[in-house]
Amino acid sequence: MASENTRKWAIIPEPNSMTVGEGTVLLPYAGRVNESIAIGDGDFLLAHQLVADIRSATGTDWDIATGDMWSGFIRLRIADSWDFDSQDGGTAGAYTLTINTDGITITGCDFEGVRNGVQTLRQLIRQNGAVLPELQIADAPACQIRGYYLDATRGRVPTLAWLKQWADKLCLYKYNQLQLYIEHTFAFDGMSETWRGSSPLTPADTLEFDQYCANLGIELVPSVSTFGHQYVAMRTQELRELGEFPEDADRPFSFIERMRHHTLNVADDRAFAFSAQLVDSYLQLFRSKRFNICADETFDLGKGKSKQEAQRVGVAALYATYVGKLCEHLSKQGREPMFWGDIAIEMPEILETLPNNVTLLNWQYDPEATDEKIQLVAKAGAKQIVCPAVWGWNALLPRIDDAWNNIARIARYGIDCGAEGMLVTDWGDFGHVNDPRMAVPGMIFGAQYAWNPAGDTAENDLLERISRVEYGDCSARFVALLRNASAQAVFTWRELVEYLELDDGTGNCNTDVAQTIPCLADRLVDHLSDCGNAMTVREARNRMMRNMATTIERIPQANRALQQCMVDIAPIAAHMGNPGITAAVRIAMEGQLLLNRVGFALAEAHDVRDAHDAGDWRPSDYRALARELECWCEAYAKEWNATSQPSELHRIQETVWKAADELRRISK
């Protein structure tokens, strides 16, 4: 497809086999979609999807029918046994699509195949309106599981309406699985102290969304933390005694500490009862037989309350025994357990103990990741799903280059090693400041490479195709400009949070936070031995900002480039007819401009500058910048509400206000 530069339309994922004819086909102004009842689409959703897109693209209304007594210009059917041979794929999700003067026919191996063919046709209708190209497609997915993993716990709880919109989008790009990450944001009975104030999802939400996803051919898989990442639960009065370090339960809230601590003490039998209760109540709300117990990043395991038991049996055995017990508990109920593979891969002896029906979710987010960990699991004979990321966390703008490199690479490794599929992750570390709509390019990367990882798809070509298909951008520049804007993020949300959280709330340096910042971690011990006392907040912040000196010098140039991106993208966005994404992108870009200026001002306050060549350095008006931050935060909050419940918006706001207060303080 990429070689035909004159073509003004695209299909994502790129089909495995496509022949485009010379002619075109005009859709009738009063046509009909005939959907075979054998497809198993009880509400004729697929036909309704096509009718809705035809109406939107052409303004005409089409009819829907089923049965051989009714004609249809568009025909949806299930293949007879002889229709698909091994050359056509013959796997679940395979389809053929034919567009010619006799009409349009989509034939699928199964419901999913017909669904996939319909999504291809919908993309063509959206771009071409009533005049479609003559073509023939024979297509099948490389990965049988093409999943998306959405963080719904670390700051944002999506509205049910937005979740449905996201499921619609996943369907359009042929995903067939979705998981929501849950720690404390579900209204479990008897756990109100844990979920209070978080705008939790409810059983009714789950039942409705599970049905909605099933209609779209998407498996909604339950996923809940049952081991590590129990930050909120282990800080409650009722549950804190189940944690490794209950004495830390009353420490001030910290975005950084939330990511690193609060693991269940699995040497306590009550821990398993707690996890089993979560599992047993949650699984009853889903039709899926799979269940993701997470069990990742158990940083505190064997260091606190379970230390004595870990010394007796070993940390690996302690981990494997607990996870194995949870997996067995699920298996007895006819479920197929999944869990994140980071700990098992760090301790390969765990791999040998896994039950046969367990699937390891092998996450690797490095854009330059090798296949070593995927090969390790494959050689151990364990089932695995490979998991790259959309690279949106900790930032207002998505790191599109990193997402493309990571996803394309991991997808190929997964296919080479016989992985069962790919699960693209979308995390919200540090409060989920990233607008979920910013993840769309990364999500589409995942769609492309889970379907056709061997395709010769250059990044720039894919960015152009996404601009056309997803955003209706005839210039095909929108996503590239978004990518260019993200490259101008010099001082990010992560750096701001790190800077602010170095103060533990009492004026002392938070050593737990400092240990997560590379330029400070090595210096903490040396400083104590040199000076005989702990590093002060001022000293830690000085070192952090001075370590960023070379980066900070880029800020004036970066902001000029970012402003130019805003100028270039504005007329494109105006013609896309999508005010939601236009507003989200504008707020994200304006926010990054301000973050860069905040970093510049903080560096200035810490005397981080080249004394011989000030260059673009100019004195900052700290108080004016503080006011701009606060005004931006109000606009950001309005956009938050477009996709998310209130949940933890207040934490984002409080962080911005702390930054504004700090700017006013240093102005004195």
Side-chain angles (χ1 to χ4, degrees):
M1 292 175 64
S3 63
E4 300 183 38
N5 296 323
T6 58
R7 185 178 301 158
K8 300 301 182 184
W9 53 267
I11 299 169
I12 306 174
E14 184 176 357
N16 289 281
S17 172
M18 180 169 68
T19 303
V20 181
E22 296 294 327
T24 57
V25 175
L26 179 65
L27 294 177
Y29 66 87
R32 177 183 293 135
V33 179
N34 184 300
E35 180 178 350
S36 169
I37 200 167
I39 292 169
D41 178 17
D43 294 328
F44 298 97
L45 174 69
L46 300 177
H48 282 291
Q49 285 182 329
L50 288 169
V51 168
D53 278 331
I54 290 169
R55 182 185 301 113
S56 178
T58 71
T60 59
D61 287 312
W62 277 40
D63 190 17
I64 293 172
T66 190
D68 57 11
M69 298 296 292
W70 297 92
S71 63
F73 192 80
I74 298 176
R75 299 173 292 275
L76 312 181
R77 68 188 189 97
I78 291 286
D80 295 328
S81 59
W82 58 85
D83 281 357
F84 278 80
D85 58 27
S86 58
Q87 270 190 319
D88 295 314
T91 57
Y95 72 93
T96 61
L97 167 63
T98 302
I99 303 176
N100 57 36
T101 53
D102 293 330
I104 301 170
T105 301
I106 295 172
T107 305
C109 272
D110 48 17
F111 167 79
E112 186 180 342
V114 179
R115 183 203 73 146
N116 293 335
V118 167
Q119 307 318 308
T120 297
L121 181 56
R122 291 176 67 202
Q123 291 183 21
L124 290 169
I125 291 168
R126 289 182 175 198
Q127 296 169 81
N128 294 284
V131 182
L132 302 180
E134 282 190 330
L135 55 73
Q136 287 186 316
I137 290 174
D139 205 8
C143 295
Q144 287 305 297
I145 295 175
R146 304 177 302 284
Y148 198 84
Y149 195 84
L150 178 64
D151 191 337
T153 211
R154 288 178 178 159
R156 285 183 191 265
V157 175
T159 65
L160 183 57
W162 187 82
L163 281 174
K164 290 178 178 179
Q165 292 175 30
W166 191 249
D168 289 337
K169 202 173 292 294
L170 293 177
C171 175
L172 181 64
Y173 295 105
K174 304 183 178 74
Y175 278 86
N176 61 7
Q177 188 182 109
L178 172 62
Q179 299 186 31
L180 303 180
Y181 176 58
I182 299 294
E183 289 175 9
H184 65 286
T185 52
F186 194 83
F188 288 105
D189 282 352
M191 292 183 61
S192 56
E193 189 189 2
T194 300
W195 50 253
R196 65 188 184 188
S198 70
S199 309
L201 293 167
T202 67
D205 295 330
T206 302
L207 291 172
E208 183 175 343
F209 190 49
D210 185 62
Q211 181 65 59
Y212 192 86
C213 288
N215 291 344
L216 293 170
I218 295 173
E219 179 186 13
L220 185 65
V221 175
S223 172
V224 64
S225 284
T226 59
F227 198 164
H229 290 299
Q230 294 289 345
Y231 185 75
V232 176
M234 296 302 103
R235 286 161 59 85
T236 64
Q237 295 292 330
E238 293 189 18
L239 296 172
R240 64 177 60 191
E241 289 303 318
L242 298 184
E244 286 277 11
F245 294 102
E247 63 272 19
D248 290 341
D250 293 321
R251 288 168 64 94
F253 174 87
S254 163
F255 284 129
I256 294 173
E257 287 189 42
R258 170 192 257 177
M259 299 302 301
R260 299 187 61 80
H261 296 294
H262 300 276
T263 300
L264 277 177
N265 167 23
V266 297
D268 187 330
D269 291 340
R270 294 175 300 171
F272 181 78
F274 167 73
S275 295
Q277 180 183 358
L278 294 180
V279 167
D280 292 348
S281 56
Y282 204 43
L283 65 80
Q284 293 181 354
L285 304 174
F286 296 80
R287 68 193 65 204
S288 173
K289 293 299 182 184
R290 306 179 215 263
F291 197 108
N292 181 2
I293 61 172
C294 295
D296 58 318
E297 297 187 329
T298 52
F299 297 120
D300 293 335
L301 181 63
K303 296 179 180 178
K305 290 284 189 177
S306 70
K307 185 174 183 179
Q308 185 175 353
E309 182 66 9
Q311 289 174 338
R312 187 179 72 84
V313 303
V315 173
L318 195 61
Y319 178 90
T321 299
Y322 192 75
V323 169
K325 192 175 178 182
L326 278 175
C327 290
E328 182 182 3
H329 181 75
L330 279 163
S331 298
K332 287 179 178 177
Q333 300 179 72
R335 306 287 168 153
E336 300 172 16
M338 297 174 154
F339 69 93
W340 298 109
D342 52 306
I343 305 301
I345 290 170
E346 288 175 10
M347 305 175 194
E349 61 268 33
I350 294 173
L351 294 174
E352 300 174 4
T353 69
L354 295 178
N356 292 332
N357 67 335
V358 171
T359 300
L360 205 71
L361 301 173
N362 196 347
W363 63 269
Q364 292 183 81
Y365 303 150
D366 187 343
E368 303 300 324
T370 69
D371 66 350
E372 180 181 0
K373 292 181 178 179
I374 297 173
Q375 290 274 14
L376 176 67
V377 176
K379 289 176 182 177
K383 294 194 297 184
Q384 66 176 319
I385 292 174
V386 295
C387 308
V390 300
W391 272 85
W393 62 86
N394 301 345
L396 291 170
L397 292 165
R399 285 147 291 188
I400 289 176
D401 283 344
D402 287 337
W404 183 80
N405 279 301
N406 179 226
I407 292 169
R409 186 182 298 261
I410 295 300
R412 288 193 292 269
Y413 295 159
I415 292 296
D416 291 344
C417 291
E420 295 196 330
M422 185 163 80
L423 183 68
V424 181
T425 62
D426 182 357
W427 295 104
D429 306 11
F430 289 30
H432 213 143
V433 70
N434 39 310
D435 189 307
R437 291 170 290 189
M438 296 290 99
V440 168
M443 178 272 284
I444 298 178
F445 292 164
Q448 170 63 52
Y449 289 104
W451 188 275
N452 187 2
D456 184 17
T457 305
E459 181 182 8
N460 287 337
D461 171 59
L462 190 48
L463 297 187
E464 290 180 2
R465 289 164 54 207
I466 295 171
S467 295
R468 291 187 187 280
V469 176
E470 170 62 23
Y471 298 107
D473 169 26
C474 295
S475 75
R477 297 178 60 217
F478 180 79
V479 184
L481 286 168
L482 183 60
R483 186 264 310 272
N484 295 345
S486 70
Q488 313 313 319
V490 178
F491 191 80
T492 68
W493 179 256
R494 181 189 185 107
E495 278 88 36
L496 178 62
V497 169
E498 289 174 338
Y499 181 92
L500 295 174
E501 289 196 359
L502 280 169
D503 186 334
D504 69 359
T506 66
N508 296 315
C509 178
N510 187 326
T511 55
D512 276 354
V513 170
Q515 287 170 358
T516 69
I517 303 173
C519 69
L520 298 180
D522 295 337
R523 183 59 182 149
L524 286 173
V525 176
D526 294 340
H527 189 279
L528 186 60
S529 60
D530 292 345
C531 305
N533 51 39
M535 188 182 293
T536 67
V537 175
R538 178 70 183 180
E539 289 167 334
R541 287 175 170 175
N542 274 338
R543 178 169 288 275
M544 175 185 170
M545 296 309 298
R546 287 175 181 169
N547 187 67
M548 293 186 68
T550 303
T551 305
I552 292 290
E553 289 175 1
R554 286 187 49 233
I555 285 177
Q557 178 185 356
N559 271 12
R560 286 193 294 270
L562 184 49
Q563 287 170 327
Q564 187 59 52
C565 285
M566 293 169 66
V567 169
D568 293 341
I569 211 168
I572 294 172
H575 287 90
M576 289 181 349
N578 189 337
I581 191 63
T582 299
V585 168
R586 177 65 186 274
I587 292 299
M589 289 185 176
E590 291 282 4
Q592 188 55 58
L593 280 170
L594 288 169
L595 282 175
N596 282 349
R597 289 173 57 197
V598 169
F600 192 87
L602 294 176
E604 186 178 61
H606 287 274
D607 296 321
V608 179
R609 65 176 70 193
D610 188 333
H612 301 291
D613 182 13
D616 282 319
W617 288 88
R618 298 290 184 272
S620 298
D621 185 338
Y622 300 116
R623 293 185 179 183
L625 180 54
R627 292 192 292 270
E628 287 185 66
L629 270 178
E630 289 158 343
C631 291
W632 172 82
C633 193
E634 291 303 302
Y636 173 87
K638 292 178 181 177
E639 283 309 306
W640 176 288
N641 294 331
T643 64
S644 309
Q645 301 281 2
S647 41
E648 295 186 33
L649 171 61
H650 67 96
R651 298 200 191 279
I652 302 290
Q653 293 171 312
E654 288 162 5
T655 301
V656 172
W657 298 336
K658 283 182 183 178
D661 291 345
E662 181 68 16
L663 289 168
R664 291 189 175 97
R665 187 189 66 77
I666 63 179
S667 71
K668 296 177 181 179

